[in-house]
Every structure is written in structure tokens, then in C-alpha cells.
Amino acid sequence: MSSSLPALVFLAFGVVAAALYAAFDTPLIAGPAFTVAGVGGALAVTLGPRWHRAQPRWAWRLLAVACVCFLTGALARPWAVEQDGPYALTADAATVPGYLFMLLGLAGLLRTRGRLPSHAVIDGLIVFIGAALCSVLLLAVPAGSITDRPALVSALAALYPIFDVILILLLVSLAFTTAVRRPSYLLLVASMSLLVVGDVLYAIIGVSGQLTGSRLLDLPFMLGFLLIGAAALHPSVVDLGQAARLPVQAWSWQRLLLIGPALAAPFVLTVFVSGRSTADRLVLGVGGAAMVVLLMMRAVSAVQGYAAAQRRYEHRATHDPLTGLPNRLMLAAEVRRLLTAGRPADAGVWVFFLDLDGFKLVNDSWGHHAGDQLIAQVAARLRAALPAAATVARVGGDEFVVVQLGSRAQAVALADRIIDCVHEPLRIRQVEAVITASVGIAGTQLDDGGGGDDPPVTADALLRDADTAMYQAKADGRGRWVMFDASMHERVRERVEIEQALRIALSEDDLRIAFQPIVDLESGSLIGAEALLRWEHPVRGNISPAVFIPIAEDTGLIGPIGRWVLDRSLRQLSQWRADGTVTADFWMSVNVSPRQLRDPGLIRALDDALDRHRVPASAVVLEITESVMIDPTSVTGQVLADLRQRGIRIVVDDFGTGFSALGYLRKHPVTGVKVDRAFVAGLGHSAKDEEIVRAVVAMSSALHLTVVAEGVETPLQQGVLAVLGVLFGQGRLWGEPVGPAEFARQWAGRPADPVDGPAVPAAGQVQGRGGNS
């Protein structure tokens, strides 16, 4: 149950019952109305927490038992006061245990908050002592001093105010340790407060020796039953059993409403006890002294709490919350300190800026929680592996910075240690993941152990230069370190210019697509083409995809560029199909990046392009990298499944260079593989390459996958591939990638080229092993 309607309905019926009880002083109406309220409250306290699965359940059971005890005592009291002997204590025999059960139940709710903060305990004790002084001196002592009735009756009359004081302490502690004050909390506090009011009213008449009075004295108890029942039925009852502490609190006006009267109690009571016994005055003096001590403790607690909060604030401001490492702010301060502090002449300040290669793939595939685990493990590993004198900081999502004093040789040794310790396998989601780090190094000392003055550099300049060198390390192949030099600034500037020019080229439609044929190895007939993105810069000339595609990946441009390539490729395929350049069996192969596959919008963009250009899904092949297959539970896996459901074929590009594994191919809906050109290049000369291709063909055949060989350049390679069982090939042997007009001119109506004898060696001529695999 999650609706507040049951609590509202219960309150509505309760208000009606209370109105009947107050308006009609007849046993036929008032008695049943009170009974209904009490029984209803006990049932609600029993059932409500069970429905809402509020914890701790045993605390609510004790409160339910307390309601039954209070109801029994209230109903029995009018009869009991008329009795003599033990029967006169019948109502008390039920009510006193009710208080015990109620106090234990409230203590159970408080227990869920763990150890109570000192400021809450002190504030609660101040209110407790003030209430205790008033209750003991004004109510308990006078009621217990009446001598014209049995001593046990007087003792019990004095006991009830003591119960109320303990109840006040528990309520105040609950208020001072509850940050979320929702309806159930407010209703529970109101219920307990009405219980205190009712007891105080009885205690006031008890001072004069009366044990019962007007029927309306029981109205607060009746309303208390209704409110605690509504508190148990409301969905927010679950909050009462959850730890949600308030921070250290100043004495706000809400607290002063409780603490102020308590502090004034000793002074006000002085007037009332001036003519009374020495014991009364002693109790008042001890209580006042205890309050003074508590006030001093509260002041000390406030100062300590403020100091602790200040330390926490400063730590949060200067440290990374995930790893506990210094953040960029503290790191910059440390670098500035090292630059200005005295150090040996042969020691420079070295800054190592490292970025985790492959982190985005782990984070996007396995989720942010796995990414956080990886970051935390790397942080712990760096702290353990690096010297104690080195400062390790986290300055970004997957970026760390290490700072150390030393010579150039020591800096190089430390860079190697960083690379090695990050490269060791990491345990993520019960799987071992291997990542690398690209490290950029910048320092004040350019010569190993060189003397002389250090260059006048700043902390910001060192961090910037190390960051620049890190990007150069990534460009050089990742998993390595690079020492900064001034020429790198020019390369960074060039990278920024390429990014800006690429954005302009995309917006102004200056990109183009070249098409390379894919042929049947046996007949030489055209069966497909791969669409390859090309960019002719107006000033720089032809810019290689190896240069601008990584920039597009890093800057997020790969998404719109990928959609543009898909749309233009399918548009061209539609035109070729319409004018007869290609047959109905011809397919268009388009590369998609891992980032595109992590975008659920890829499906919608592809559907729109297929509908707009009237191209069947079976004529489209999407080429993916092996890296996207490492996590079958990611968004990527769902996107691949959706693509296959539409009939689109999926081919693993550059197969054999990455995460090549039979398990990955079985778990993903791929339809084919493309053998990487590195293995094709050695065919006819390298037995090792031949065996690799043979194994790929055998595995693909078992999984019913098509095989396309990339980078075919010679008739000998074509022949070996055909003997090994590869059906399709792509490479310079059949033509370079060309524009759509040139592609149509070369291949429109072109008959199948027969394969000459020398291009296909006999079985015995292929490294001594022949036959299809």
C-alpha cells in the first residue's frame, strides 16, 4: 500500500467518534465511541506497519500492545476507583505496563538512528531536567505525599508524572534526530503529546487526592489513539524507522520553544519551593547545576561540531569524493608550493598527466557503477605503487595527475611504473578488465641532473603542458608516456583547427563518400561495396580518416557524421538499384563506431533512412569493431539485437586484431567477419597467416558466418583465399575507393571476371596444405 487514503479515512471516522464522545454524556454513546477509537488505534498500529513494511516491526508491535493496555486501563478506571483493596489497582495494573511497552517502542524507533549525536543528547537532557523538575516538584511529590489513602495508590499517582518525563525525553530525542518530518512523524508526536496532556490533567487533580474526574479528561487519550493509528496507516510510516539525522543544529526558535522553558524552570520553581522542605530545594539546586553543566557541554559540542564541519567542508573542497584523492584545486596548490619551496639543484618538479585508455568503453558498456569501481581501483593501485613522496590526484572523470620531485631519470622510471601498474588486470563485475594509461610528462628540469636555475614556470603551465603531452601519447598509440616539448603546442593547435574545420565541413556538406567494391573471389562479380568517408580540406587537402575520425570520436561529432554517412550511402544505393548499376543482391557496407552503437537513436535514424530511400534492410551491412562485443548486457547489445530483428546484417571489421573470441561471436547477432588486412598481406608467403585465416574460416563456417577478406592486392592472395574457403574479397586488386560516378562507370553492366589459373594455386601449392576449411 502506498496511498494515504486509509489514514485519512481512519482520521475522519475518528473525528466523528470523538465528536460523539464529547457531545453525548451517555454510556450508550460515549463508552462505545471511546472503545471504538482505542480498538481502532490498536488495530491500525498492528496492521499499518505490516502493510507498508515499516521497520523495526517489533517496535510497532510494542506500541500496539501499549494501546491495548491504555484502553483497558481507561475503561476499567471508573469501576476501579469505587473498589477497595487490590481491586482499586485494576486500572493501574493495565496502564503501568502500557507505559513500559510504549517507552520501549519509542526507544526502538530511536535505535534505528544508531548512536545519537552529542548535541541531540545534550539538548534532550536539558529539556528532560526542566520537565523533571516541574513534574517531580509540582506533581509527583504532592501526589505521593497524600496520606489519607493507601500508600501504593499515592506511589502510583506519583509514578505517572515520571513516565511522562521519560516520554518527553524520548519525543525530544526523536525530534532532534529526525531530518525528514513527514505526516507519520507529525501524527506520532501529536499522539504522544496528547498522552502527556492527558496525564498532566490527571496529575493536577491528583495533587488534591482525586483519582478520576470529568469524562472530558479522557478526550486527549481518545484523540491520541486516533492520531497514532493514522500515523501507522500513512505510507510515510517507513521513514520513522530509517536513519535521517539532522546535522549539528544551532538553537533555532523551534528548539528554543522547548529549551527556553526548560532553562527557566529552576528560576520559576524557586518561588514555589521556597517554603518547602530542604530535599525539595536540594533537588532544585542539583537540577539547576546539571543544566549549567549541560549548557557548557553544549557550547563545547557546538564548537567541536563547527570545527568538524569546517574540516569536512575543507576536505570536500580539496578532495575527490569517489577516491579520496586530492582534486585539481589542491593539486594546483601543491604544485605551486613545490615550485616556490627550496629543493636540491638536481631535482625538478615533474607533473604526470594520465588518462585511462578504454575507460569510456567500460563506463558506457557496463554502467557508471562499474566505471566508478574501475576509477577507485586505479586510484588505490596508484597510491600503493608510487613512492610516498609522490602526490596522486584525480582531476577529471578518468584523469589522474601525479607530482613528484626528482631528476629526469627518476621521472622516466616513475612514468614506466605508472604504465605498468595501470596495465595489470582489474576486477570489474566478476570479470577481469585490462586497460592502459596514456601519460604526458612535463617538468621544470629538461636535462637529467642538470644544474642551473629552473625555468620560470607556473603550476598552470606545467599542468597544461602535461595534458598536451598526454594527448600526444594517445595519438602515438596509447598505453605509453610522452615527454612534453614545445612543438606539441603546435600539434594541439592543429587538432583544434581540424575539429573546427570538421564542424564546418559537416554543416556545409563538404564531406564525401568513396565506395570500394566487394567481389566474389571465385567469379570476380560485384556483390557489394563499402562506403568510406573522405574529407578534402580546402587548404590542407585530403585529410586521412585516421586523423579526423578520432577527433570526431573525442568531440562527439561522430554521431552526426555517422548519421550523415548512413543517409548518403543509402541514398546512393537507392539510385544504383533504380538505374541498374547494381543488382538486387548487392549490399552496402557502412562502418558504425562504438559510440554510435551506444546511442539508442541509431535505430530511429536508420529506420528513417531506409524508409526515405526505399532500401530494404537486407541490403545494408553495418561494420562494427570487435571492442563493442565485450559486454552483451549493455545498451550496445540491445541495439545490435534490434538491428538484426530488422534484417540488417552485422559484420565484425578487422577481425583478429582485438577481442577475437568464439564466445563473443556466439553471444552477439553478427552475420559475418572481415579478416584484417594484416593477415591477408602474408598469404602465399607466411604459413602463420595462412593458419590464422584457415582458423577464422573454420570458426565462421561453424557459426554460419560470411567471411570477407580485406586488403587483397595480388592474384596470389586471391587464390590462396579461395582455396582456404573465403568467398568474398575487397582490396586494390579490384580498385581503389572512388566516387559514386566513377564506381558506376567501372562496374555498371560489368561481366564477371574469370579467375585465371595462376591466381588460384593448386591445393599442394599453398604452403603444403590445401583444401577448403
Side-chain angles (χ1 to χ4, degrees), residues 709-738:
E710 294 183 292
V712 183
E713 298 186 358
T714 67
L716 178 60
Q717 293 170 350
Q718 176 191 8
V720 174
L721 289 168
V723 169
L724 293 177
V726 179
L727 299 180
F728 308 119
Q730 174 184 348
R732 292 179 180 177
L733 181 61
W734 299 281
E736 298 282 357
V738 294

Side-chain angles (χ1 to χ4, degrees), residues 74-414:
L75 295 177
R77 189 167 298 282
W79 174 83
V81 296
E82 303 295 333
Q83 308 302 312
D84 295 324
Y87 295 107
L89 303 177
T90 302
D92 297 309
T95 305
V96 171
Y99 275 102
L100 297 177
F101 287 125
M102 180 193 62
L103 297 177
L104 289 174
L106 291 177
L109 294 179
L110 273 175
R111 184 183 177 186
T112 61
R113 284 150 173 77
R115 182 176 177 272
L116 298 181
S118 60
H119 70 276
V121 174
I122 293 172
D123 289 350
L125 287 176
I126 291 174
V127 176
F128 170 75
I129 292 175
L133 290 175
C134 294
S135 180
V136 170
L137 296 178
L138 299 181
L139 300 176
V141 171
S145 301
I146 297 175
T147 58
D148 59 351
R149 60 185 179 186
L152 185 56
V153 173
S154 295
L156 288 173
L159 183 62
Y160 288 117
I162 305 301
F163 282 143
D164 290 331
V165 172
I166 300 175
L167 175 58
I168 290 173
L169 174 62
L170 294 176
L171 288 178
V172 169
S173 299
L174 191 65
F176 289 170
T177 57
T178 302
V180 182
R181 297 177 177 178
R182 299 187 62 200
S184 287
Y185 163 81
L186 299 175
L187 290 168
L188 178 64
V189 172
S191 172
M192 298 296 106
S193 300
L194 285 171
L195 179 60
V196 172
V197 170
D199 282 341
V200 169
L201 293 176
Y202 266 99
I204 291 174
I205 66 172
V207 172
S208 60
Q210 301 181 52
L211 296 179
T212 186
S214 169
R215 175 180 52 83
L216 295 179
L217 291 178
D218 289 332
L219 186 59
F221 300 108
M222 183 179 182
L223 294 175
F225 288 139
L226 299 174
L227 293 180
I228 194 173
L233 292 173
H234 197 275
S236 60
V237 67
V238 296
D239 296 332
L240 288 171
Q242 297 176 353
R245 297 184 186 177
L246 286 165
V248 177
Q249 297 288 300
W251 279 353
S252 60
W253 67 268
Q254 295 96 332
R255 287 204 169 198
L256 288 177
L257 286 178
L258 294 173
I259 296 174
L263 293 173
F267 303 98
V268 175
L269 290 175
T270 302
V271 178
F272 293 93
V273 302
S274 58
R276 292 168 63 171
S277 66
T278 302
D280 290 342
R281 292 194 296 272
L282 181 61
V283 169
L284 185 60
V286 171
M291 282 190 171
V292 172
V293 173
L294 288 172
L295 284 173
M296 295 176 63
M297 292 174 62
R298 184 59 163 88
V300 172
S301 175
V303 172
Q304 292 177 337
Y306 175 80
Q310 184 69 19
R311 289 193 296 271
R312 287 193 299 270
Y313 171 78
E314 292 176 354
H315 187 273
R316 284 197 298 267
T318 57
H319 288 76
D320 172 56
L322 176 62
T323 63
L325 296 176
N327 60 13
R328 185 181 291 272
L329 179 65
M330 186 174 181
L331 172 72
E334 175 64 12
V335 175
R336 284 193 293 269
R337 185 189 68 80
L338 292 175
L339 288 173
T340 57
R343 59 182 184 273
D346 61 346
V349 178
W350 295 96
V351 174
F352 306 78
F353 201 113
L354 59 144
D355 183 273
L356 303 182
D357 307 319
F359 171 75
K360 287 184 175 60
L361 182 61
V362 172
N363 200 47
D364 294 342
S365 299
W366 287 338
H368 293 292
H369 179 67
D372 288 346
Q373 281 186 307
L374 188 148
I375 291 294
Q377 288 188 44
V378 170
R381 185 175 291 180
L382 287 172
R383 279 184 294 198
L386 301 186
T391 298
V392 183
R394 183 189 180 204
V395 296
D398 61 335
E399 297 175 335
F400 296 84
V401 172
V402 178
V403 180
Q404 187 183 21
L405 292 176
S407 65
R408 181 186 178 93
Q410 290 172 327
V412 170
L414 185 62

Side-chain angles (χ1 to χ4, degrees), residues 429-440:
R429 290 181 56 177
Q430 309 305 316
V431 176
E432 281 194 348
V434 178
I435 63 170
T436 58
S438 297
V439 181

